[in-house]
Amino acid sequence: MTEKVGGTVEVEVLRERNKTLEREVNPRSIVLATTTLYQNWYQGEARSVVDTDKIRGDLALRFVQSAIDRGYQVVIADGESAKEFKDALAKLNIVILPRATPQRAAGRREVFEKAAQLDGVKAIVYTQPEKASLVEDCTGLIAEPIVRGEADIVIPRRNELLFKETYPDYYHTIENDDNRWYNKMLHLAHLLPEDQNFDIFFGSFAFRNDPSLLALFLKRYEYVGPRVTGTRNYIMPEEASNAHMFPIVEALKNGLRVISIEVPFRYAEEQKANEESEGLRNEYMAKRREQRYRFLAEEKQMLLYLLGMPRSRLRLAV
């Protein structure tokens, strides 16, 4: 089951609505769950616009502090970050887990499982830790339908004006195309009505803290097909769709309440400058395109799997 949220709402109206919901919803019922890995982070001011780990690590610390200031619970699985970053993180009143493996999906499963055990948690919100604006401007909007019992999964949708104005230009072009193709496959599989779409490549989502939903997000699928040429080389569920897009697709297949909520998310200026800098811009564009091939190839395999088609090369890992 899905729900459509109406047309574009002015940015300031969205922000004020978020502030209202922050006051109305018990912040301890919300946990922000994420993973970190900043091997080259250092103390002090950023020395260069191309110091990616420094810029992103600073945003992650801002993300955590903003969450604490609002009373949210926070769970982070940290990989092999620099000792200085680990020390900075340890000073904050949050739950920190060591990442058992460098695989992204494994880290997500770690934080989801721990988050579900915290007292009073009703909504588990996942996002990349650099997205400080999601905490500061959007979390009330995202979590409220879950806390009120009106949704099982919420996929935030970036306000189009802020998406276009605050992101690097190539993000807006590439990710709009990516979303269009991802939604088209959901439409063709009759899992999503033709007039509804998700901002799936925003990469953030929230789900209700319920054992059956948690079980969806803890599932691990593996690809067992041959790796030759073409998009099959990109299929790596533990780096992409496991504990992320796969459970959302499966929730749609199961008729769960998956809804879209518009949010006034603003991309950080320092991150935009980093990703537009000379020498990095082309690298980031290539990563975005590789991400497209991976997620779309994996979506196709998941849809074939859920529809019982023998051509699927996905298997549920034991």
Side-chain angles (χ1 to χ4, degrees), residues 3-4 6 30 37 55 58 123 129 131 134 149 177 209 241 247 280 298:
E3 172 185 325
K4 183 178 180 182
I30 300 167
L37 178 60
I55 290 165
D58 282 355
K131 291 179 176 172
L134 188 127
D177 285 344
N209 186 16
S241 297
L280 290 182
E298 291 180 0

Side-chain angles (χ1 to χ4, degrees), residues 162-174:
L162 292 178
F163 187 11
K164 191 170 185 177
E165 288 186 350
T166 68
Y167 274 77
D169 56 356
Y170 58 88
Y171 266 82
H172 185 263
T173 301
I174 292 172

